[in-house]
Amino acid sequence: MCPYGALQELTGKCVNYKIKIGSQTIKKLDIMRRIILVVLMLCMWTGLWFGWIDYEPFSAFIWKSASVIVLVIALGFLLLSTIITRPYCRFVCPMGSLFKIKL
């Protein structure tokens, strides 16, 4: 569904070695992901900061208009995805957070 998630998946297949993340660390990263989602939604609902959308790695696909910061973030998570399975999707992505909500 997501081009950046697919790219992370492909990048992850380039290296066979993966770091095993402990369950406690995953729980803490999951809490961080939820906090990020809540903060971003509050920023949008209150109108305080819509600019966070400009820092999504998706805009790196339009590299002529993407800022250097976005390109660095996108590249950083791609490099990290070689040793950790889809780190952006699992621990940062607001859409990934919405997909994980259990109703």
Side-chain angles (χ1 to χ4, degrees), residues 87-99:
Y88 182 79
C89 300
R90 292 172 60 202
F91 306 122
V92 180
C93 180
M95 196 68 207
S97 298
L98 292 174
F99 284 144

Side-chain angles (χ1 to χ4, degrees), residues 9-80:
E9 188 77 30
L10 287 173
T11 306
K13 292 184 186 285
C14 294
V15 177
N16 289 331
Y17 172 77
K18 298 291 182 231
I19 292 176
K20 303 248 188 238
I21 301 174
S23 61
Q24 291 296 326
T25 304
I26 288 177
K27 285 180 185 178
K28 289 176 184 175
L29 290 170
D30 193 52
I31 290 169
M32 182 187 76
R33 177 186 51 81
R34 291 176 187 190
I35 291 170
I36 290 170
L37 176 66
V38 168
V39 168
L40 293 177
M41 291 300 111
L42 286 173
C43 287
M44 272 188 11
W45 290 332
T46 60
L48 290 176
W49 187 46
F50 281 100
W52 67 269
I53 296 170
D54 297 334
Y55 297 100
E56 282 285 347
F58 305 123
S59 60
F61 287 102
I62 308 169
W63 58 272
K64 287 186 178 183
S65 64
S67 70
V68 173
I69 294 171
V70 170
L71 294 173
V72 168
I73 290 170
L75 184 61
F77 275 106
L78 282 179
L79 291 173
L80 194 57

